[in-house]
Amino acid sequence: MRTPHVVVVMGVAGTGKTTIGPLLAARLGVPYAEGDDFHPEANIARMTAGIPLDDDDRWPWLDAIGAWAHGRAELGGVVSSSALKRSYRDRLRAAAPGIVFVHLTGDRELIEDRMANRRGHFMPTALLDSQFATLQPLQPDERGVAVDVSGTPEEITARALAALDDLDSSTQPTEARPPKG
């Protein structure tokens, strides 16, 4: 029996990290941790006010997520984190070397529409451009997969699981797109 992954579900705001993360965790049979819960109150206040976070704001947040992921090594778990920059993912990997990334990707219009229609979240759509500007996709030497966010949450989760299975037999990041036709 293989050791369960510690998976970081990443992507810009509105890609569905908070929806897909728990579904993926349930299918893997491991706990889920909401990345937003690791933010200090000051970060939430900045984002609520439409002020993008800078790296100094993010380091304590990433360290808290990394500590959670480290504690789940050999046990498995799923946590959400935008993890937009390579340096952020490197910091998470430094804390938990075995983590795997599931990068939720999609068309900007689709993501903006989803953001505009969600309720009770502190991240305004005005920050979406800064998220896309900051995003550095997974590189070939990073253990992870890119998963398209079109379709239902169940379809996205199924693509993520299939891509993770494929990753176990490969060393290159893979991209999971919806089936054609």
Side-chain angles (χ1 to χ4, degrees):
M1 183 171 148
R2 69 185 169 120
T3 302
H5 292 293
V6 176
V7 177
V8 176
V9 179
M10 63 168 282
V12 300
T15 53
K17 296 180 295 289
T18 299
T19 300
I20 303 306
L23 291 172
L24 188 58
R27 293 282 304 273
L28 293 171
V30 297
Y32 171 73
E34 171 55 52
D36 287 341
D37 293 343
F38 293 92
H39 272 298
E41 287 298 319
N43 284 8
I44 293 172
R46 287 177 63 90
M47 290 183 284
T48 300
I51 302 168
L53 300 179
D54 62 25
D55 287 351
D56 289 334
D57 297 320
R58 287 189 179 96
W59 298 135
W61 173 64
L62 290 165
D63 290 343
I65 292 171
W68 183 89
H70 178 79
R72 296 301 310 166
E74 305 298 320
L75 302 171
V78 176
V79 62
S80 58
S81 170
S82 53
L84 298 177
K85 288 185 181 180
R86 170 70 185 250
S87 62
Y88 304 163
R89 297 187 299 272
D90 288 346
R91 193 159 183 134
L92 292 171
R93 268 191 301 275
I99 61 175
V100 176
F101 293 92
V102 170
H103 180 189
L104 300 179
T105 65
D107 177 82
R108 189 192 185 291
E109 287 181 29
L110 172 66
I111 294 168
E112 183 176 29
D113 182 61
R114 288 181 179 174
M115 281 184 77
N117 289 305
R118 68 184 180 180
R119 302 286 175 250
H121 196 278
F122 56 82
M123 179 70 88
T125 57
L127 292 181
L128 188 56
D129 286 334
S130 73
Q131 293 254 305
F132 272 107
T134 302
L135 177 63
Q136 296 171 345
L138 290 173
Q139 297 302 300
D141 65 331
E142 293 185 89
R143 189 157 165 77
V145 296
V147 178
D148 183 83
V149 297
S150 60
T152 68
E154 292 75 19
E155 291 168 338
I156 298 163
T157 302
R159 281 196 299 275
L161 286 165
L164 286 171
D165 283 344
D166 288 348
L167 182 66
D168 285 339
S169 61
S170 169
T171 58
Q172 296 295 320
T174 61
E175 189 168 338
R177 296 234 170 248
K180 300 277 186 205

